[in-house]
Amino acid sequence: MLDEVLVNEQPSTDTEETAPCFQTPGPTVTFHSLRYRIKERLGMFSRQWVEKDILRDVSGILSPGMNAIMGPTGSGKTSLLDVIAGRKDPKGLKSGQVLVDNTIVTSDLRLCSAYVVQNDILMGTLTVRENLAFSANLRLSRKEYSSADKQMRVDSVIQELGLKDCADTKDHVTLKTGIIYQFDHLTLMNKGEIIYAGAANKAITYFEELGYKCEPFNNPADFFLDVTNGTVLPQIHNNKSEMCSNSDEMVENENPLAVIYRKSPHFLNVKDRLTQISDGLDPEVTKDDRVGYATPFYYQLMLVSGRTVRHILRNPQTSYAQLFLNIFFGILVGLIYYQIPHTLPEALQNRTGAFFFLVINMVFGNLSAVELFISERVLFIHENSSGFYRTSVYFLSKVFADLIPNRILPVFIFSAIPYFMMGLKPDVEAFFLYCVTMSMISLSAVSLAFLISASVGSFAMANILIALPYVVMMVSLAEQKIYRHVDCLLCSKKFFKNTCIFSLVRFTFNQVALTGIMCVCLLLTYVQLRRISRWK
Ligand SMILES: Nc1ncnc2c1ncn2[C@@H]1O[C@H](COP(=O)(O)OP(=O)(O)OP(=O)(O)O)[C@@H](O)[C@H]1O
């Protein structure tokens, strides 16, 4: 319900260490007659669509400094900022344009602009300073800013927002509260229209002139929301307050406060400035050159992987649990099938059971991988749409940071324990092939989980979708593995030589099939991540 805040300040290119950095005023952002419309299905299964205006002819100026946008839930604050920053689907923008320093901008503005949203879209295991540093490192070009400059930028933001006390804590609520009370310019919105825009300290006077009364004990932010919501009415009666209370005179669906604002000197002044800007606009000059990422691929990969590793180290429960479960399960299987005999039919029966258990654990032990992309979906959409990093960088950093500590290392421990306890072939080559097969089963199961994780937005859905392929995979792999080992058992006893050749073919076929599953699933995971809409 509260607000979105835009910090409109431009980094200085001054690289002298002693000079106060980033203090030059930022650009002026103007938006002219923005009209944004969405299409909604009438009912869940309906074929009819209705159009809904989210922004209705919204114009304004965001001057350098702290700009706050407030309004009730659904009033269009986020949509306005998304349209300005180029994060909203351009198809919905029916009219209007956004200018930065009198130059028309395209949706690539998202790659070089930022704003603080009301939802907590930050990495929870990182401190306020680390989150800001992560953003600065990725979004400030390495050619223009040295590490010291970036550090100064982070320090200056912490200082400006009064966050010194919590800079090294993970208290992100303070980060948001700190920002909210620092604004110079206030825009109040209701139902997709602006009802006030101007100096924050003049807003109360503006509404008092309309007959509203802000009690001394009332928080101004609550007062503005009460006025916007219509929960308080004008108490002093004059011409303007009559207009506010008498909505009958208004055209249906018109917001009286928006109508009054459009007639106010505040808006007339804004309109004059916008007209001047539009008249002086050179249609040839547009900032439509493609803005690339501020940092190269390898640097993004290093930073994002570093953050992922730090996240795992600070939140190691999943890795510990995975390791513990594998050791426990390994010992359990080893104890149940301790030193299994090499004579038929016991050898066959015992191996059947043991491999069935091993494959079950390899497949179902990786169920936790379905949470990988779901838990960070909002963060990924936010950072990706803001141009922090490429999708491939995120994909690679997450896949490798999860695969090595959570999937590959535990598999080796798990494989070794029951192998020797069960008394299988004491042969390096056999053990190696056994470990490779186990790892391949595990990686195939993980890749399938990654694919589902990248394709759906909820855990419930992911759990439903993963169950069936896991059962199919488990049954077919267990069956293949049992026969392969029975064949090898027979070979080791020097029986049926041709069965061993058959076994080798089957083994190669298994490995190729598992590699295929793994590659296809990982490729599709990447495709699915790319398909996640960056438009809000
Ligand atoms: N892509 C979209 N598809 C459908 N409806 C949308 C879309 N974007 C915005 N809306 C609708 O537009 C209205 C304004 O949404 P917006 O998120 O801009 O409001 P807000 O003032 O930021 O609200 P909140 O404070 O709850 O975030 C809401 O009714 C919302 O449901």
Side-chain angles (χ1 to χ4, degrees):
M1 184 186 74
L2 199 57
D3 31 29
E4 322 280 332
V5 181
L6 189 81
V7 184
N8 199 3
E9 187 186 84
Q10 183 165 292
S12 148
T13 48
D14 192 349
T15 49
E16 273 180 53
E17 289 226 350
T18 47
C21 217
F22 307 104
Q23 295 304 320
T24 49
T28 300
V29 179
T30 53
F31 43 99
H32 304 234
S33 309
L34 297 180
R35 189 178 289 276
Y36 195 89
R37 190 173 288 167
I38 52 140
K39 268 187 177 178
E40 275 182 332
R41 225 180 254 278
L42 209 55
M44 206 169 157
F45 302 106
S46 169
R47 285 190 177 180
Q48 284 182 312
W49 295 79
V50 281
E51 293 202 322
K52 181 177 157 193
D53 278 330
I54 290 179
L55 296 177
R56 305 171 177 198
D57 201 10
V58 173
S59 301
I61 298 173
L62 296 170
S63 307
M66 286 286 232
N67 292 270
I69 303 178
M70 294 179 74
T73 296
S75 55
K77 307 176 293 286
T78 314
S79 301
L80 175 59
L81 283 177
D82 285 338
V83 169
I84 291 174
R87 288 169 202 198
K88 204 102 183 140
D89 190 347
K91 279 187 220 144
L93 189 62
K94 298 300 167 196
S95 70
Q97 58 190 16
V98 177
L99 277 70
V100 173
D101 279 341
N102 304 351
T103 309
I104 298 173
V105 290
T106 64
S107 63
D108 279 344
L109 183 64
R110 74 191 168 83
L111 297 179
C112 54
S113 66
Y115 64 85
V116 181
V117 295
Q118 61 199 4
N119 303 328
D120 194 349
I121 311 180
L122 296 162
M123 184 63 98
T125 44
L126 264 56
T127 64
V128 170
R129 188 188 296 281
E130 286 168 342
N131 268 306
L132 291 172
F134 179 74
S135 177
N137 281 328
L138 283 172
R139 307 198 69 199
L140 296 177
S141 158
R142 292 174 76 206
K143 285 185 195 140
E144 288 173 48
Y145 305 99
S146 66
S147 300
D149 288 337
K150 291 176 187 172
Q151 184 63 47
M152 278 170 87
R153 178 65 176 147
V154 170
D155 289 342
S156 94
V157 169
I158 289 172
Q159 177 115 18
E160 268 174 47
L161 302 177
L163 298 172
K164 261 186 156 177
D165 292 341
C166 65
D168 296 310
T169 69
K170 293 163 195 160
D171 182 2
H172 303 136
V173 175
T174 324
L175 170 62
K176 295 161 71 56
T177 318
I179 294 166
I180 282 162
Y181 290 101
Q182 309 282 326
F183 51 84
D184 312 305
H185 187 274
L186 175 67
T187 301
L188 285 176
M189 294 193 71
N190 192 21
K191 295 180 187 161
E193 291 180 286
I194 293 181
I195 60 162
Y196 173 82
N201 55 10
K202 292 192 182 147
I204 292 194
T205 317
Y206 172 82
F207 285 107
E208 282 180 347
E209 281 173 9
L210 298 184
Y212 292 95
K213 197 161 184 303
C214 178
E215 302 295 346
F217 53 82
N218 202 353
N219 176 343
D222 291 340
F223 169 70
F224 296 140
L225 288 176
D226 287 344
V227 170
T228 323
N229 278 326
T231 43
V232 293
L233 289 172
Q235 291 173 18
I236 302 160
H237 293 280
N238 56 32
N239 287 350
K240 286 181 179 172
S241 64
E242 288 298 309
M243 276 177 75
C244 297
S245 352
N246 194 356
S247 47
D248 295 347
E249 284 178 21
M250 301 284 167
V251 180
E252 205 188 342
N253 285 336
E254 273 206 332
N255 182 347
L257 285 169
V259 175
I260 293 170
Y261 169 69
R262 282 200 289 272
K263 289 180 183 164
S264 72
H266 292 272
F267 183 68
L268 296 178
N269 181 25
V270 168
K271 218 174 156 189
D272 282 349
R273 284 177 62 193
L274 291 179
T275 314
Q276 276 172 19
I277 292 170
S278 299
D279 291 347
L281 205 61
D282 181 352
E284 299 294 308
V285 184
T286 54
K287 274 191 184 171
D288 59 356
D289 328 328
R290 263 205 82 72
V291 181
Y293 288 94
T295 46
F297 178 88
Y298 75 91
Y299 186 69
Q300 290 180 1
L301 188 62
M302 196 180 81
L303 286 180
V304 181
S305 305
R307 182 179 73 165
T308 311
V309 170
R310 203 179 293 175
H311 177 70
I312 291 174
L313 291 178
R314 288 186 188 171
N315 191 17
Q317 290 92 332
T318 318
S319 310
Y320 286 157
Q322 192 81 26
L323 206 62
F324 174 76
L325 196 80
N326 279 306
I327 293 173
F328 174 78
F329 210 81
I331 294 174
L332 190 71
V333 176
L335 285 175
I336 296 172
Y337 297 98
Y338 190 73
Q339 298 299 323
I340 43 181
H342 288 245
T343 48
L344 287 171
E346 295 86 358
L348 176 61
Q349 285 162 353
N350 284 325
R351 276 171 174 74
T352 308
F355 287 122
F356 192 71
F357 274 125
L358 293 176
V359 172
I360 284 183
N361 189 57
M362 280 299 105
V363 175
F364 280 93
N366 288 308
L367 208 56
S368 63
V370 290
E371 66 113 32
L372 190 73
F373 296 110
I374 297 175
S375 61
E376 281 184 17
R377 200 177 175 90
V378 178
L379 183 76
F380 165 68
I381 293 175
H382 174 71
E383 292 182 340
N384 189 245
S385 69
S386 305
F388 276 53
Y389 43 69
R390 295 159 178 85
T391 307
S392 52
V393 165
Y394 178 75
F395 169 73
L396 290 176
S397 74
K398 289 306 286 184
V399 165
F400 291 119
D402 186 81
L403 282 188
I404 295 167
N406 290 341
R407 317 292 159 195
I408 296 181
L409 288 180
V411 168
F412 275 90
I413 295 170
F414 173 71
S415 307
I417 297 171
Y419 190 88
F420 294 107
M421 286 180 78
M422 289 192 294
L424 298 180
K425 254 189 185 176
D427 181 313
V428 178
E429 189 204 353
F431 179 67
F432 176 74
L433 289 179
Y434 163 84
C435 284
V436 168
T437 312
M438 285 296 200
S439 307
M440 298 289 282
I441 294 173
S442 174
L443 292 179
S444 310
V446 172
S447 314
L448 202 60
F450 283 171
L451 173 59
I452 289 177
S453 178
S455 309
V456 298
S458 78
F459 285 115
M461 199 63 195
N463 281 329
I464 292 169
L465 291 180
I466 197 82
L468 184 65
Y470 265 17
V471 170
V472 172
M473 200 171 167
M474 183 192 78
V475 172
S476 60
L477 284 170
E479 186 235 22
Q480 293 287 325
K481 205 157 168 36
I482 289 159
Y483 283 114
R484 144 122 186 96
H485 279 268
V486 171
D487 290 345
C488 279
L489 172 81
L490 297 173
C491 291
S492 70
K493 293 281 175 191
K494 309 275 185 230
F495 294 127
F496 308 114
K497 285 279 182 200
N498 56 346
T499 316
C500 198
I501 295 163
F502 179 59
S503 164
L504 193 69
V505 173
R506 196 202 306 259
F507 174 76
T508 314
F509 177 76
N510 276 351
Q511 306 307 311
V512 171
L514 287 172
T515 313
I517 293 176
M518 202 173 77
C519 294
V520 169
C521 287
L522 286 179
L523 186 73
L524 289 178
T525 305
Y526 173 64
V527 172
Q528 288 295 70
L529 284 178
R530 284 195 68 96
R531 284 186 64 230
I532 294 177
S533 175
R534 64 163 66 117
W535 302 120
K536 294 192 186 171

